[in-house]
């Protein structure tokens, strides 16, 4: 039934240190489709992303500046690149931030920076994208012993690529997180995220994440409760995912796990990293109204080379 479908994606990445604290990297990505689940047309597109990172660390301060250049070109097929808002030729400041350690327990952040929180269920990077994802933000983190609290105010008004469909106007995001590393639990994390649009549309998401490793056994659990107000309609949605696995060998060369996830009909993944959990299936499955049964295998050949296999069964 699916024999006629073809979707091929491959990437090549190279990077090196030019000087102390200065890194240069570039990535070439090619996508070829033919009667695929993505499009009925034959399309070939190549994309290039180059970055220059300047990173300076002082006694209590880290300064980082990342310039990024993106371009793409058509190999064959009917594709209008002029309609793309994220992959045409442009240079941008991808990251520009300062991290300042005010005290031994308190750290402050100001500027444009990647953001990976909520186990990347609601906020994560988009590494496979030609532009990835970063946010203008101000934040603070306080940690004392095993426990800590973080807070951020995130502004996404200045970048149309970050706009969520239901929130087309000005958007501010408020994030508050509590975390605790117990002896009997590697991590307990609670996140509260409030997204507010100027058109009175809003989204309030509460997330709890548990994970623990005992010898070779590993356990992870995520739960999200979400309340949204969009165009005078109210939505109450949920996400569950449980993963259980085990590693083998003294050097843990093999890891096997099983996972099961459920997302309700109108769940909004916001800026989640779907690729982390569903691979490229997320491009046509979306992040809602989905049940996912998965088997994961990771095999470490040596310290620098590894192999991974994910098998999924989806129900919508």
């Amino acid at each position: 039934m699916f024999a006629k479908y073809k979707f091929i994606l491959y990437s090549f990445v190279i990077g090196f240190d030019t000087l102390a604290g200065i890194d240069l990297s570039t990535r070439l990505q090619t996508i070829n489709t033919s009667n695929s689940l993505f499009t009925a047309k034959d399309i070939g597109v190549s994309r290039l992303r180059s970055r220059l990172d300047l990173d300076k660390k002082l006694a209590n301060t880290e300064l980082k500046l990342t310039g990024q250049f993106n371009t793409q070109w058509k190999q064959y097929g009917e594709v209008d690149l002029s309609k793309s808002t994220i992959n045409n030729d442009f240079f941008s400041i991808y990251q520009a931030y300062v991290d300042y350690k005010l005290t031994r327990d308190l750290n402050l952040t100001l500027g444009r920076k990647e953001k990976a929180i909520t186990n990347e269920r609601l906020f994560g990077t988009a590494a496979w994208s030609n532009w990835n994802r970063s946010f203008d933000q101000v934040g603070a983190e306080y940690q004392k012993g095993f426990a800590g609290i973080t807070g951020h105010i995130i502004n996404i008004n200045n970048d149309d690529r970050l706009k969520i469909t239901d929130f087309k106007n000005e958007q501010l995001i408020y994030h508050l997180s509590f975390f605790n590393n117990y002896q009997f639990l590697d991590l307990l994390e609670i996140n509260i995220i409030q997204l507010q649009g100027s058109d009175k549309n809003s989204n309030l998401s509460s997330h709890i994440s548990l994970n623990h490793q005992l010898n070779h056994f590993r356990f992870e659990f995520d739960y999200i409760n979400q309340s949204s107000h969009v165009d005078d309609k109210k939505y109450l949605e949920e996400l569950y995912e449980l993963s259980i696995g085990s590693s083998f060998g003294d050097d843990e060369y093999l890891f096997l796990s099983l996972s099961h996830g459920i997302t309700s009909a109108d769940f909004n993944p916001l800026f989640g990293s779907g690729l982390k959990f569903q691979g490229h299936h997320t491009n046509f499955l979306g992040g809602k109204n989905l049940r996912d049964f998965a088997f994961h295998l990771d095999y470490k050949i040596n310290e620098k080379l590894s192999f991974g296999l994910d098998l999924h069964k989806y129900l919508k």
Side-chain angles (χ1 to χ4, degrees):
M1 174 179 180
F2 294 99
K4 67 177 182 178
Y5 294 126
K6 179 181 70 173
F7 173 73
I8 300 174
L9 181 149
Y10 58 88
S11 296
F12 175 75
V13 182
I14 185 171
F16 55 90
D17 296 333
T18 55
L19 293 170
I22 302 177
D23 300 326
L24 176 65
S25 63
T26 189
R27 184 192 73 168
L28 174 64
Q29 182 184 73
T30 295
I31 301 176
N32 297 281
T33 65
S34 178
N35 292 326
S36 74
L37 296 173
F38 299 94
T39 176
K41 301 177 181 179
D42 292 345
I43 293 176
V45 177
S46 291
R47 295 168 178 165
L48 182 69
R49 183 183 73 196
S50 299
R51 286 183 182 163
L52 181 65
D53 288 310
L54 292 85
D55 197 346
K56 183 66 174 178
K57 295 181 179 180
L58 305 174
N60 296 317
T61 307
E62 179 183 3
L63 302 169
K64 185 155 188 174
L65 176 65
T66 304
Q68 177 172 282
F69 175 75
N70 303 76
T71 189
Q72 68 173 358
W73 61 92
K74 179 176 69 174
Q75 295 176 324
Y76 59 85
E78 298 180 16
V79 53
D80 186 1
L81 301 184
S82 65
K83 295 181 179 180
S84 172
T85 60
I86 64 174
N87 291 306
N88 285 338
D89 296 353
F90 72 94
F91 177 83
S92 62
I93 300 300
Y94 177 64
Q95 293 193 104
Y97 68 86
V98 55
D99 279 343
Y100 180 66
K101 197 169 187 64
L102 186 62
T103 69
R104 194 173 105 183
D105 305 315
L106 179 61
N107 192 73
L108 306 178
T109 298
L110 175 64
R112 179 173 296 179
K113 188 179 182 180
E114 293 178 341
K115 180 59 60 182
I117 52 177
T118 66
N119 194 21
E120 300 194 59
R121 295 287 181 181
L122 297 171
F123 258 84
T125 60
W128 280 96
S129 164
N130 204 39
W131 60 284
N132 210 317
R133 186 187 289 144
S134 58
F135 303 90
D136 296 339
Q137 59 194 275
V138 56
E141 176 176 327
Y142 179 81
Q143 182 171 0
K144 190 74 172 179
F146 292 108
I149 181 172
T150 63
H152 297 87
I153 299 176
I154 301 169
N155 180 4
I156 53 177
N157 299 336
N158 300 323
D159 197 335
D160 289 336
R161 298 167 298 170
L162 294 176
K163 295 298 177 69
I164 299 175
T165 303
D166 295 333
F167 303 90
K168 297 179 180 179
N169 298 315
E170 293 181 359
Q171 299 175 31
L172 282 176
I173 296 174
Y174 305 93
H175 165 246
L176 188 64
S177 174
F178 306 89
F179 58 91
N180 207 322
N181 304 98
Y182 295 102
Q183 292 182 349
F184 60 89
L185 190 65
D186 290 338
L187 178 65
L188 164 63
E189 183 178 355
I190 300 173
N191 291 279
I192 300 173
I193 292 177
Q194 170 76 37
L195 188 153
Q196 186 65 54
S198 63
D199 52 4
K200 297 184 179 181
N201 288 349
S202 64
N203 179 295
L204 176 64
S205 298
S206 302
H207 165 257
I208 182 169
S209 180
L210 306 171
N211 68 68
H212 184 63
Q213 182 169 346
L214 178 63
N215 297 325
H216 294 286
F217 176 79
R218 189 179 305 168
F219 160 87
E220 294 183 6
F221 176 73
D222 281 298
Y223 170 73
I224 296 174
N225 181 280
Q226 191 174 79
S227 173
S228 298
H229 292 267
V230 180
D231 298 332
D232 296 324
K233 295 181 180 180
K234 186 175 181 178
Y235 301 90
L236 295 174
E237 306 299 331
E238 292 180 306
L239 174 149
Y240 305 83
E241 178 142 343
L242 173 65
S243 176
I244 299 174
S246 179
S247 58
F248 299 87
D250 294 336
D251 57 353
E252 300 186 343
Y253 68 93
L254 177 64
F255 180 77
L256 303 176
S257 67
L258 296 172
S259 65
H260 179 218
I262 302 174
T263 54
S264 54
D266 291 297
F267 180 80
N268 191 334
L270 300 181
F271 304 100
S273 300
L275 287 170
K276 176 180 177 180
F277 304 99
Q278 299 159 2
H280 282 282
H281 299 104
T282 195
N283 290 322
F284 58 89
L285 289 171
K288 59 185 179 181
N289 192 26
L290 185 67
R291 296 188 69 180
D292 177 17
F293 301 87
F295 167 77
H296 310 276
L297 179 151
D298 292 296
Y299 181 74
K300 184 169 66 174
I301 300 173
N302 55 46
E303 291 300 322
K304 297 183 179 180
L305 183 63
S306 61
F307 168 81
L309 174 67
D310 295 326
L311 300 177
H312 293 265
K313 172 66 176 179
Y314 297 107
L315 299 174
K316 287 185 73 73

